[in-house]
């Protein structure tokens, strides 16, 4: 009986330590970091741009783990090099995710000026590629961008492609493709 009580006390002490450490960890976060974690948690069920290895494509957020600061995402259309299972899940750090603007709110999109490099969904795919803005979305009646995708040459020139504003995000720093 004495052994059980001592064991119980030790367990209670460990629980208190864990709770104290957790509270200290949360209190050390800046208000900006707390807001960022909250925004990440609110992405559940949303489509986002995700970098898996060196490729960027559209995935759906399944969950966000605040402790690990990690997203669990679902790629509903894996590429040709995948195992043809139809869907694939990944766990990705926060830095590998870029939220898209809200599709029903053009004001949520950045207004990229002509000449700016962006990352955008190539029409008819779920893959994102580097592109150059030809015409911004706020200067048109349709809220679409006109872009030229890198390495998209046809007859020696880059075709201009119309892309919905909600599939265009800033080009990540250090992007290589």
């Amino acid at each position: 009986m004495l052994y059980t009580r001592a064991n119980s006390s030790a367990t209670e002490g460990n629980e208190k330590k864990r709770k104290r450490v957790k509270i200290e960890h949360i209190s050390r976060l800046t208000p900006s970091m707390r807001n960022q974690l909250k925004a990440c948690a609110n992405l559940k069920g949303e489509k986002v741009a995700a970098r898996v290895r060196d490729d960027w494509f559209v995935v759906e957020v399944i969950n966000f783990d605040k402790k690990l600061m990690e997203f669990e995402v679902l790629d509903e259309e894996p590429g040709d090099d995948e195992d043809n299972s139809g869907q694939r899940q990944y766990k990705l750090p926060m830095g590998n995710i870029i939220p898209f603007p809200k599709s029903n709110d053009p004001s949520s999109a950045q207004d990229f000026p002509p000449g700016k490099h962006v990352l955008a969904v190539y029409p008819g795919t779920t893959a994102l590629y580097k592109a150059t803005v030809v015409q911004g979305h706020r200067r048109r009646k349709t809220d679409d961008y006109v872009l030229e995708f890198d390495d998209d040459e046809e007859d020696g020139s880059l075709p201009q492609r119309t892309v919905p504003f909600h599939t265009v995000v800033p080009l990540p720093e250090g992007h290589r493709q």
Side-chain angles (χ1 to χ4, degrees), residues 101 106-112 137-138 145 169-170:
S107 68
S108 69
Q110 289 185 5
D111 190 18
F112 300 112
H137 80 98
R138 294 199 178 132
Y145 280 98
V169 294

Side-chain angles (χ1 to χ4, degrees), residues 4-18:
T4 306
R5 233 185 267 145
N7 215 4
S8 174
S9 274
T11 303
E12 287 174 23
N14 286 340
E15 284 298 314
K16 286 179 183 176
K17 278 184 186 177
R18 269 191 233 130

Side-chain angles (χ1 to χ4, degrees), residues 66-80:
K66 287 182 183 179
K67 289 179 190 170
L68 298 175
M69 295 187 191
E70 181 177 81
F71 284 94
E72 185 176 349
V73 299
L74 177 66
D75 178 13
E76 296 172 345
E77 299 179 27
D80 297 334

Side-chain angles (χ1 to χ4, degrees), residues 137-144:
H137 80 98
R138 294 199 178 132
R139 290 163 182 59
R140 306 187 72 224
K141 294 178 184 175
T142 64
D143 292 320
D144 294 338

Side-chain angles (χ1 to χ4, degrees), residues 120-162:
V121 176
Y122 188 85
T125 73
T126 58
L128 287 97
Y129 296 97
K130 182 179 176 185
T132 303
V133 175
V134 174
Q135 191 172 29
H137 80 98
R138 294 199 178 132
R139 290 163 182 59
R140 306 187 72 224
K141 294 178 184 175
T142 64
D143 292 320
D144 294 338
Y145 280 98
V146 177
L147 305 175
E148 291 178 343
F149 285 89
D150 289 12
D151 302 324
D152 187 26
E153 285 189 36
E154 285 182 3
D155 303 324
S157 65
L158 292 176
Q160 295 183 352
R161 305 206 184 265
T162 302

Side-chain angles (χ1 to χ4, degrees), residues 35 47 72 89 92 95 97 114-115 132 147 161 167-168 170:
N35 288 340
K47 301 279 188 189
E72 185 176 349
Q89 289 186 8
L92 302 172
I97 300 292
T132 303
L147 305 175
R161 305 206 184 265
T167 62
V168 179

